[in-house]
Amino acid sequence: MRVRLSVAGLASALSLALLAGCAVAGTRPDYVGTTEPFASDAVYFVVTDRFVNGDTANDHREQGGAHRTFDIPVHCADGIDGNIGYLGGDFRGVLDNAGYIRDLGFGAVWITPIVDNPDEAFTGSREISCTSSLTDRGKTGYHGYWGINFHKLDEHLPSAGLDFAGFTRGLHAAGLKVVLDIVGNHGSPAWTMPERQPQFGQLFDKDGTLVADHQNLPPQQLDPQHNPLHAFYNNIGPVDADKGSIFDGNLAELSDFNQHNPAVMDYLAGAYLQWAGQGVDALRIDTIGWLPHPWWHAFVGRIRAEHPGMFMFGEAFDYDAARIAEHTWPANANVSVLDFPLRGALEAVFGREGKGFEALAEPLHLSGGPYANPYELMTFYDNHDMPRIDASDAGFIDAHNWLFTARGIPVLYYGSETGFMRGRAEHAGNRAYFGQQRVDAAPASPIFGPLQRIAKLREATPALQRGLQVNERLQGEQAVFYRVLQQGDVAQTVLVLLNKGDAAQDFEVRDYLQQGQWRDALDGGSVVVKDVLHAEVPAHGVKVFVLDAPVKQPQLQERLDAAMADQAARTARLAH
């Protein structure tokens, strides 16, 4: 069983550590960004259907009849097409490549939802084009987010002898944790169909009994008081974007769950407890911002009552740190979140815009920020819901050097190890099929090797996983910062030097630098430091020096003590 400190407990522990460090002669203080065990593992994110087709027997290529579900191209003018049908990726395809993912330096795999989705392509909504968004006509539930039975596996994923429990066992045997994507806000598309289609807008229980049906009615025409099949859904009509936030109404004709109905909570919590009991290590919560804080607080409590310490992170697609931070507070969901504000800065720094490292300073929120703990945030630069980052090979390398050394838990979208479909939006190839041939060829990409190198370094270096971050400089093409972990038997200070310029640069570091013998963690050897460290960092390169010794440098101690005090005060404040 994993033990995860409560917010109040962490506040107490941090306060005691500070007091102990100040009051007891010879006792070194704790310097730690997070005690969360999951912080050790970088995450590889796959849209399961689009990764690798490991078993063609579960493709269901004839499914859907007139509204077929397999291989439905979306044509783009430049000839690089998207696709809104199933393409065959499955549990077997992920499991067959577990060694590839593990050897790349990842400790966890995040898969898209596994629950049963409709057996036809949707005929409602607006027509999809290469550049459209929130349009679903002709689209299928290949992505998994259109659940119709949350207790049942989608038939495209398992194979003979390989159910979900077998899949998680296989990944665990390969040294990988399993992150399951879950949806609490909605089911499948529910209205605007020219003629009603089976399963759309419907919900079935574990016995296959129909428990909810939108009946192809717009939400404002539902009658939950008199029709039990409407009671699972909200009857708030769509909100015009010019008159209100889309968060106040329905999203893309999806059946919107009624958060005030206790049966909804029972249904969803029961279903996800079923899957969690089959080997899930963490949960990613889709559209967390669309349901109120008390609902998520109750849901998370029910999951953790049976799975203490279960790590969870939410998707609040919002670039306002103050808003998304609310989900991390103990009075609300008490989970981590995907770091969208930092994502925006990462795109600006490592994409075609090419801003300097200074753009990353503010969204780090290392002190005085709104998050319960910024070191537990999930850091990323793109995903399946936005255009992939438009970067050069060097831009990808620079981004990875940052992601795997700076604060937070890195998340990489499948294919980014080769720059796959860079710059492409959802219907223009963002979710294109990767396939076994591309997996096999990936090591030849100039992006792959540097990613593997820095990912494996993070995996082997506790301070890069859980240590406090102290910035020496974030300016222009140079970033210099420390990561410090001092707790129990671990005393480790890491100095990171990043160069995102096109030429090698000489770095000189004096501030916060402790005397001692620093080992060169990437290139081997060591350097004896007195007052200054000189190093040449290659173009689009990284140097990492490690000192395995307690912190004694006064200015660094001062910064670290302030960081611990800030974290303790923040945690205590949020606990009340």
Side-chain angles (χ1 to χ4, degrees):
M1 176 185 296
R2 295 176 299 167
V3 178
R4 189 167 189 258
L5 285 176
S6 67
V7 173
L10 181 57
S12 176
L14 293 174
S15 299
L16 287 173
L18 286 169
L19 290 172
C22 296
V24 181
T27 301
R28 67 190 191 197
D30 278 1
Y31 297 134
V32 55
T34 176
T35 58
E36 170 55 55
F38 195 81
S40 299
D41 300 298
V43 180
Y44 189 82
F45 169 37
V46 299
V47 176
T48 311
D49 176 74
R50 301 311 173 87
F51 187 55
V52 171
N53 188 349
D55 178 9
T56 57
N58 62 15
D59 286 357
H60 299 276
R61 298 190 178 209
E62 305 305 318
Q63 185 184 70
H67 309 299
R68 66 190 182 91
T69 62
F70 195 86
D71 191 12
I72 309 170
V74 175
H75 297 294
C76 298
D78 60 6
I80 303 176
D81 292 346
N83 203 292
I84 53 176
Y86 285 87
L87 292 177
D90 46 32
F91 290 160
R92 174 56 62 193
V94 177
L95 193 55
D96 283 349
N97 290 285
Y100 165 85
I101 297 169
R102 188 72 188 89
D103 191 53
L104 191 50
F106 291 87
V109 177
W110 158 15
I111 59 171
T112 40
I114 61 175
V115 302
D116 197 24
N117 273 236
D119 296 340
E120 295 183 356
F122 186 52
T123 60
S125 190
R126 291 168 292 153
E127 187 174 358
I128 287 176
S129 69
C130 183
T131 59
S132 66
S133 62
L134 297 180
T135 56
D136 291 324
R137 185 180 301 170
K139 189 176 181 178
T140 66
Y142 70 88
H143 44 67
Y145 296 96
W146 290 357
I148 59 170
N149 190 330
F150 286 64
H151 292 270
K152 180 183 177 184
L153 277 178
D154 191 274
E155 66 275 11
H156 299 83
L157 299 175
S159 299
L162 184 64
D163 58 7
F164 183 61
F167 172 69
T168 63
R169 284 195 301 270
L171 287 181
H172 290 160
L176 291 166
K177 294 177 180 175
V178 179
V179 182
L180 177 62
D181 206 324
I182 65 170
V183 184
N185 176 70
H186 60 263
S188 62
W191 79 99
T192 67
M193 293 168 276
E195 295 182 7
R196 286 183 64 181
Q197 295 177 262
Q199 301 180 324
F200 284 98
Q202 296 183 324
L203 197 67
F204 301 86
D205 67 13
K206 61 183 178 181
D207 298 319
T209 302
L210 182 68
V211 296
D213 193 342
H214 224 280
Q215 298 176 330
N216 201 24
L217 296 171
Q220 63 270 28
Q221 293 183 21
L222 297 179
D223 186 8
Q225 290 187 335
H226 300 97
N227 188 337
L229 290 177
H230 293 176
F232 259 65
Y233 301 133
N234 282 315
N235 57 358
I236 302 170
V239 175
D240 189 320
D242 294 332
K243 298 178 180 178
S245 168
I246 60 172
F247 291 94
D248 297 324
N250 292 97
L251 171 66
E253 296 89 29
L254 297 171
S255 47
D256 195 61
F257 291 145
N258 177 10
Q259 67 271 22
H260 304 295
N261 183 348
V264 172
M265 173 69 73
D266 291 341
Y267 179 88
L268 293 170
Y272 291 129
L273 283 169
Q274 168 189 308
W275 301 122
Q278 296 183 25
V280 172
D281 300 286
L283 297 176
R284 181 265 189 184
I285 302 172
D286 183 73
T287 52
I288 194 172
W290 292 66
L291 283 168
H293 294 310
W295 196 93
W296 286 119
H297 186 84
F299 176 87
V300 169
R302 288 178 68 158
I303 300 296
R304 287 185 177 152
E306 295 195 22
H307 299 276
M310 174 73 78
F311 184 71
M312 306 184 206
F313 59 97
E315 175 230 13
F317 203 131
D318 195 319
Y319 290 88
D320 183 343
R323 280 178 60 95
I324 70 171
E326 293 180 2
H327 302 291
T328 71
W329 300 349
N332 298 332
N334 194 22
V335 299
S336 179
V337 289
L338 288 154
D339 193 347
F340 276 87
L342 181 61
R343 189 223 76 85
L346 293 175
E347 181 181 42
V349 172
F350 301 116
R352 302 294 180 182
E353 190 175 352
K355 284 190 175 182
F357 274 112
E358 61 274 9
L360 301 179
E362 187 276 334
L364 284 174
H365 292 291
L366 297 179
S367 63
Y371 302 104
N373 190 333
Y375 291 91
E376 296 176 7
L377 299 179
M378 311 302 291
T379 52
F380 70 108
Y381 53 72
D382 64 18
N383 66 20
H384 58 315
D385 286 330
M386 62 182 62
R388 287 178 179 258
I389 191 171
D390 186 10
S392 65
D393 288 353
F396 277 96
I397 293 169
D398 292 333
H400 298 155
N401 286 339
W402 169 273
L403 272 181
F404 286 82
T405 56
R407 75 101 176 106
I409 304 172
V411 179
L412 196 83
Y413 189 32
Y414 79 97
S416 292
E417 65 268 33
T418 67
F420 182 58
M421 289 291 169
R422 67 190 80 191
R424 309 296 292 188
E426 177 187 349
H427 299 142
N430 169 292
R431 307 178 186 180
Y433 181 69
F434 199 51
Q436 193 62 52
Q437 285 187 326
R438 288 191 178 93
V439 170
D440 295 341
S445 167
I447 300 170
F448 185 96
L451 167 61
Q452 184 181 50
R453 184 172 183 244
I454 200 67
K456 283 184 172 291
L457 178 67
R458 184 186 189 275
E459 182 179 63
T461 310
L464 293 179
Q465 302 164 12
R466 298 185 297 279
L468 292 171
Q469 180 167 339
V470 174
N471 295 331
E472 193 270 356
R473 81 191 73 151
L474 297 177
Q475 186 63 45
E477 296 174 344
Q478 295 190 1
V480 178
F481 55 87
Y482 296 86
R483 298 293 305 277
V484 182
L485 181 63
Q486 185 167 280
Q487 185 184 41
D489 295 332
V490 179
Q492 187 174 76
T493 299
V494 175
L495 173 61
V496 179
L497 313 177
L498 301 177
N499 172 19
K500 75 183 194 78
D502 293 332
Q505 297 191 28
D506 292 322
F507 282 62
E508 179 179 288
V509 182
R510 295 179 181 271
D511 292 344
Y512 315 120
L513 187 65
Q514 182 166 316
Q515 293 183 0
Q517 184 164 320
W518 293 70
R519 56 186 172 88
D520 188 331
L522 285 171
D523 298 318
S526 63
V527 57
V528 176
V529 173
K530 291 186 177 180
D531 300 317
V532 60
L533 183 146
H534 290 281
E536 181 180 85
V537 182
H540 304 289
V542 54
K543 294 285 286 186
V544 178
F545 297 93
V546 179
L547 180 65
D548 293 304
V551 179
K552 296 181 179 179
Q553 209 279 344
Q555 287 74 36
L556 183 58
Q557 283 182 321
E558 184 179 351
R559 290 286 302 272
L560 295 168
D561 288 341
M564 291 297 287
D566 174 81
Q567 180 67 0
R570 177 177 7 185
T571 307
R573 181 177 69 252
L574 293 176
H576 294 89

